[in-house]
Amino acid sequence: MLSKKQIAQRIASEIKDGQYIYLGIGIPTLIANYLPEQLEVVFQSENGLLGIGPYPEKEDMDPDIINASKETISMVKGSSLFDSAEAFAMIRGGHIDLSILGALEVSENGDISNWKISSGLIKGVGGALDLVASEAKLYVAMHHCHKDGSSKLLKHCEMPITGIKCVQKIFTDLGVFTILPEGGFKLCERAPGVTIEEIKAKTEGRLVIKGEIKEMELFAQD
Amino acid sequence: MINKTVKDGIEAVSDIENGAVILIGGFGLCGIPEASINALLTTNLKGLTCISNNAGVDDFGVGLLIKQHMLRKLISSYVGENLEFERQYKVGTLELELIPQGTLAERIRAGGAGIPAFYTPAGIGTHVADGKEVREFDERLFLLERWIKADFALIKAWKGDTAGNLIYKGTARNFNPLMATAGKITIAEVEELVPVGELDPNQIHTPGIYVQRIFQGDNYEKRIENQTVRK
């Protein structure tokens, strides 16, 4: 079973040189830590920045430079700043190559639910509804099961959905899955030490297993 | 050039009436019009509708207006962990309308640009689409969304001149330039107010035509919601 950091590490290996990328909060935020140095990619922040850099040194913290999680950040060389309508024009308009989001649930036909819910109230969705409706590739990074052990890979989403038929690939602590055009989670890789039986038991939606499923390779430690 | 300077926030907001619809700039606590919000707190206004991306926190930003029971309705994309908001929402004294963030931005932009409605893919197949027209273009489905306009827009910029030309800094720009265009009366507060002619016209983000009143705020707190530093 993978840790959050290892899920992030596994997704990092999918990222290609030259991509413009949107990372959601949670596990996706960690991905930036695991990119090979020679890779040139640009991260977008929906509050109006292309070119998110690492967290700043304490003395360089600027309340006017934050990311969508309202954290202080830095800007890389060659960054650009813009307003919120422009930020979503580049999202909706399909200019972002890849979005990676967390999720509460994903259904076997690629529907996603990722509203922020706390104390029983829907607190909103921020930019996720616009992101999942864009034509960018959409990957999901999440735990395979809820804390109570119930599956997050479902036949139908039980919570209110944020987008329909939009997820292409899912990375969980148990494995990597693609959504088949006809519906179903196709198992591509399993996490080290995780058996196919365990994945079967923890996947409520239709699971498709064809041929031998190899264990994923993780290069860095941690 | 027309001089739009007012003395301070108190003078700027003095003709806002009960029940007004107000746009308030900012993303989280970044780029919020601190001085205009503080000025509102000195009034006894009630029943305001506030359109703002977030609800602030309990003791700062839009959260202060909630705490003082000045709002009837909040239109936002994400309201976060604001306990007083939750309390008023649960007893039914504060109404909430959640809008996808990109749709919120575009509805405000449309309001300022004279576009009454537009089609967007965001929200198709979700409860956001309830009761809205859906139309197919090039084999994809889109939702019809309406413009947003307001009685007042309270916005914050970094620098401005007395003609209302504005320059923003960093990610404090966010919703401010959009809201500037969609308020019948737009009130801009700036950290530095300069005479006309001192700003480079090439660098202006919001042309003065959108701004009716401008003043220099003081003692900006610029509270940071989440301080994160390199380890």
Short mmCIF file of all heavy atoms in Angstrom, two decimals, chain A residues 84-115:
data_model
loop_
_atom_site.label_atom_id
_atom_site.label_comp_id
_atom_site.label_asym_id
_atom_site.label_seq_id
_atom_site.Cartn_x
_atom_site.Cartn_y
_atom_site.Cartn_z
N SER A 84 -8.97 36.47 -12.40
CA SER A 84 -9.65 35.18 -12.25
C SER A 84 -10.38 34.74 -13.52
O SER A 84 -10.48 33.54 -13.79
CB SER A 84 -10.64 35.24 -11.09
OG SER A 84 -9.98 35.61 -9.90
N ALA A 85 -10.91 35.68 -14.30
CA ALA A 85 -11.61 35.29 -15.53
C ALA A 85 -10.61 34.73 -16.54
O ALA A 85 -10.87 33.72 -17.21
CB ALA A 85 -12.35 36.49 -16.13
N GLU A 86 -9.45 35.34 -16.60
CA GLU A 86 -8.37 34.86 -17.48
C GLU A 86 -7.90 33.47 -17.02
O GLU A 86 -7.64 32.58 -17.83
CB GLU A 86 -7.21 35.85 -17.41
CG GLU A 86 -6.02 35.49 -18.27
CD GLU A 86 -6.08 36.17 -19.63
OE1 GLU A 86 -6.16 37.40 -19.65
OE2 GLU A 86 -6.05 35.45 -20.63
N ALA A 87 -7.79 33.31 -15.70
CA ALA A 87 -7.34 32.02 -15.15
C ALA A 87 -8.26 30.90 -15.60
O ALA A 87 -7.81 29.80 -15.94
CB ALA A 87 -7.30 32.08 -13.62
N PHE A 88 -9.56 31.17 -15.61
CA PHE A 88 -10.51 30.13 -16.00
C PHE A 88 -10.71 30.05 -17.51
O PHE A 88 -11.14 29.02 -18.02
CB PHE A 88 -11.83 30.28 -15.24
CG PHE A 88 -11.67 29.79 -13.83
CD1 PHE A 88 -11.37 30.66 -12.80
CD2 PHE A 88 -11.74 28.43 -13.55
CE1 PHE A 88 -11.17 30.20 -11.52
CE2 PHE A 88 -11.53 27.96 -12.27
CZ PHE A 88 -11.26 28.84 -11.25
N ALA A 89 -10.39 31.12 -18.21
CA ALA A 89 -10.41 31.05 -19.67
C ALA A 89 -9.36 30.04 -20.12
O ALA A 89 -9.60 29.23 -21.01
CB ALA A 89 -10.14 32.43 -20.27
N MET A 90 -8.19 30.07 -19.48
CA MET A 90 -7.15 29.12 -19.91
C MET A 90 -7.46 27.70 -19.47
O MET A 90 -7.03 26.75 -20.10
CB MET A 90 -5.75 29.60 -19.51
CG MET A 90 -5.46 29.74 -18.08
SD MET A 90 -3.78 30.39 -17.79
CE MET A 90 -3.90 32.12 -18.21
N ILE A 91 -8.27 27.57 -18.41
CA ILE A 91 -8.71 26.23 -17.98
C ILE A 91 -9.81 25.71 -18.91
O ILE A 91 -9.67 24.68 -19.56
CB ILE A 91 -9.19 26.28 -16.52
CG1 ILE A 91 -8.00 26.45 -15.57
CG2 ILE A 91 -10.01 25.03 -16.17
CD1 ILE A 91 -8.37 26.78 -14.14
N ARG A 92 -10.89 26.47 -19.02
CA ARG A 92 -12.04 26.04 -19.84
C ARG A 92 -11.65 25.92 -21.30
O ARG A 92 -12.15 25.05 -22.02
CB ARG A 92 -13.16 27.07 -19.72
CG ARG A 92 -14.32 26.63 -18.91
CD ARG A 92 -15.43 27.63 -19.05
NE ARG A 92 -15.45 28.58 -17.95
CZ ARG A 92 -14.98 29.82 -17.99
NH1 ARG A 92 -14.43 30.31 -19.07
NH2 ARG A 92 -15.07 30.59 -16.93
N GLY A 93 -10.79 26.81 -21.74
CA GLY A 93 -10.41 26.85 -23.15
C GLY A 93 -9.48 25.73 -23.58
O GLY A 93 -9.06 25.69 -24.73
N GLY A 94 -9.13 24.86 -22.65
CA GLY A 94 -8.34 23.69 -23.02
C GLY A 94 -6.85 23.98 -23.17
O GLY A 94 -6.13 23.23 -23.82
N HIS A 95 -6.37 25.06 -22.59
CA HIS A 95 -4.96 25.40 -22.74
C HIS A 95 -4.07 24.70 -21.71
O HIS A 95 -2.87 24.61 -21.89
CB HIS A 95 -4.77 26.92 -22.63
CG HIS A 95 -5.63 27.66 -23.61
ND1 HIS A 95 -5.29 27.80 -24.93
CD2 HIS A 95 -6.84 28.25 -23.47
CE1 HIS A 95 -6.26 28.46 -25.56
NE2 HIS A 95 -7.20 28.74 -24.69
N ILE A 96 -4.70 24.24 -20.62
CA ILE A 96 -3.96 23.48 -19.61
C ILE A 96 -3.90 22.03 -20.11
O ILE A 96 -4.92 21.48 -20.54
CB ILE A 96 -4.68 23.55 -18.24
CG1 ILE A 96 -4.85 25.00 -17.79
CG2 ILE A 96 -3.97 22.71 -17.19
CD1 ILE A 96 -3.60 25.69 -17.32
N ASP A 97 -2.72 21.42 -20.08
CA ASP A 97 -2.58 20.07 -20.62
C ASP A 97 -3.11 18.99 -19.70
O ASP A 97 -3.65 17.99 -20.14
CB ASP A 97 -1.09 19.78 -20.91
CG ASP A 97 -0.52 20.76 -21.90
OD1 ASP A 97 -1.03 20.80 -23.04
OD2 ASP A 97 0.43 21.49 -21.55
N LEU A 98 -2.89 19.18 -18.40
CA LEU A 98 -3.21 18.09 -17.46
C LEU A 98 -3.65 18.68 -16.12
O LEU A 98 -2.99 19.56 -15.58
CB LEU A 98 -1.94 17.24 -17.26
CG LEU A 98 -1.96 16.17 -16.18
CD1 LEU A 98 -3.01 15.10 -16.50
CD2 LEU A 98 -0.58 15.51 -16.05
N SER A 99 -4.79 18.17 -15.62
CA SER A 99 -5.24 18.54 -14.28
C SER A 99 -5.19 17.31 -13.40
O SER A 99 -5.60 16.23 -13.82
CB SER A 99 -6.69 19.03 -14.29
OG SER A 99 -6.81 20.19 -15.06
N ILE A 100 -4.68 17.49 -12.19
CA ILE A 100 -4.65 16.37 -11.24
C ILE A 100 -5.38 16.82 -9.98
O ILE A 100 -5.00 17.82 -9.36
CB ILE A 100 -3.20 15.95 -10.93
CG1 ILE A 100 -2.46 15.64 -12.23
CG2 ILE A 100 -3.19 14.74 -10.00
CD1 ILE A 100 -0.96 15.48 -12.08
N LEU A 101 -6.46 16.12 -9.66
CA LEU A 101 -7.31 16.53 -8.54
C LEU A 101 -7.46 15.42 -7.53
O LEU A 101 -7.31 14.24 -7.86
CB LEU A 101 -8.73 16.88 -9.06
CG LEU A 101 -8.86 18.02 -10.07
CD1 LEU A 101 -10.33 18.15 -10.49
CD2 LEU A 101 -8.39 19.33 -9.46
N GLY A 102 -7.78 15.78 -6.31
CA GLY A 102 -8.24 14.81 -5.33
C GLY A 102 -9.71 14.55 -5.57
O GLY A 102 -10.36 15.26 -6.34
N ALA A 103 -10.28 13.52 -4.93
CA ALA A 103 -11.71 13.25 -5.11
C ALA A 103 -12.27 12.53 -3.90
O ALA A 103 -11.54 11.85 -3.17
CB ALA A 103 -11.95 12.43 -6.37
N LEU A 104 -13.57 12.69 -3.69
CA LEU A 104 -14.27 11.93 -2.66
C LEU A 104 -14.70 10.59 -3.23
O LEU A 104 -14.67 9.57 -2.55
CB LEU A 104 -15.50 12.70 -2.18
CG LEU A 104 -15.26 14.05 -1.52
CD1 LEU A 104 -16.57 14.81 -1.36
CD2 LEU A 104 -14.60 13.85 -0.17
N GLU A 105 -15.13 10.61 -4.50
CA GLU A 105 -15.59 9.40 -5.18
C GLU A 105 -15.34 9.54 -6.68
O GLU A 105 -15.39 10.64 -7.21
CB GLU A 105 -17.10 9.22 -5.00
CG GLU A 105 -17.56 8.99 -3.58
CD GLU A 105 -19.08 9.01 -3.46
OE1 GLU A 105 -19.77 9.46 -4.41
OE2 GLU A 105 -19.58 8.59 -2.42
N VAL A 106 -15.10 8.40 -7.33
CA VAL A 106 -15.08 8.36 -8.79
C VAL A 106 -15.94 7.18 -9.21
O VAL A 106 -15.90 6.12 -8.59
CB VAL A 106 -13.64 8.18 -9.34
CG1 VAL A 106 -13.65 8.06 -10.86
CG2 VAL A 106 -12.74 9.35 -8.93
N SER A 107 -16.76 7.37 -10.24
CA SER A 107 -17.60 6.26 -10.70
C SER A 107 -16.95 5.58 -11.89
O SER A 107 -16.04 6.13 -12.52
CB SER A 107 -18.99 6.75 -11.09
OG SER A 107 -18.94 7.36 -12.37
N GLU A 108 -17.45 4.37 -12.21
CA GLU A 108 -16.81 3.56 -13.25
C GLU A 108 -16.96 4.16 -14.65
O GLU A 108 -16.28 3.75 -15.57
CB GLU A 108 -17.37 2.13 -13.22
CG GLU A 108 -18.86 2.06 -13.52
CD GLU A 108 -19.43 0.66 -13.36
OE1 GLU A 108 -18.98 -0.07 -12.45
OE2 GLU A 108 -20.33 0.31 -14.14
N ASN A 109 -17.84 5.17 -14.82
CA ASN A 109 -17.89 5.84 -16.13
C ASN A 109 -17.13 7.17 -16.11
O ASN A 109 -17.22 7.96 -17.04
CB ASN A 109 -19.32 6.02 -16.62
CG ASN A 109 -20.11 6.97 -15.76
OD1 ASN A 109 -19.67 7.31 -14.65
ND2 ASN A 109 -21.25 7.43 -16.23
N GLY A 110 -16.38 7.42 -15.03
CA GLY A 110 -15.52 8.60 -15.01
C GLY A 110 -16.14 9.84 -14.39
O GLY A 110 -15.58 10.92 -14.47
N ASP A 111 -17.31 9.70 -13.73
CA ASP A 111 -17.88 10.84 -12.99
C ASP A 111 -17.03 11.06 -11.74
O ASP A 111 -16.47 10.12 -11.17
CB ASP A 111 -19.32 10.56 -12.53
CG ASP A 111 -20.28 10.36 -13.70
OD1 ASP A 111 -19.87 10.61 -14.84
OD2 ASP A 111 -21.43 9.94 -13.44
N ILE A 112 -16.98 12.31 -11.29
CA ILE A 112 -16.18 12.63 -10.11
C ILE A 112 -17.00 13.45 -9.12
O ILE A 112 -17.84 14.27 -9.52
CB ILE A 112 -14.88 13.39 -10.50
CG1 ILE A 112 -14.03 13.74 -9.27
CG2 ILE A 112 -15.20 14.66 -11.29
CD1 ILE A 112 -12.68 14.34 -9.60
N SER A 113 -16.76 13.18 -7.84
CA SER A 113 -17.35 14.02 -6.79
C SER A 113 -16.20 14.54 -5.95
O SER A 113 -15.44 13.76 -5.38
CB SER A 113 -18.29 13.18 -5.92
OG SER A 113 -18.60 13.91 -4.76
N ASN A 114 -16.02 15.84 -5.92
CA ASN A 114 -14.96 16.38 -5.05
C ASN A 114 -15.35 17.71 -4.43
O ASN A 114 -14.54 18.61 -4.30
CB ASN A 114 -13.61 16.45 -5.76
CG ASN A 114 -13.57 17.50 -6.85
OD1 ASN A 114 -14.58 17.98 -7.29
ND2 ASN A 114 -12.38 17.87 -7.25
N TRP A 115 -16.61 17.83 -4.03
CA TRP A 115 -17.03 18.99 -3.24
C TRP A 115 -16.30 18.97 -1.93
O TRP A 115 -15.96 17.92 -1.41
CB TRP A 115 -18.53 18.94 -2.95
CG TRP A 115 -19.39 19.00 -4.15
CD1 TRP A 115 -19.79 17.94 -4.92
CD2 TRP A 115 -19.97 20.17 -4.73
NE1 TRP A 115 -20.58 18.40 -5.95
CE2 TRP A 115 -20.71 19.75 -5.86
CE3 TRP A 115 -19.93 21.53 -4.42
CZ2 TRP A 115 -21.39 20.64 -6.68
CZ3 TRP A 115 -20.62 22.41 -5.22
CH2 TRP A 115 -21.34 21.97 -6.34
#
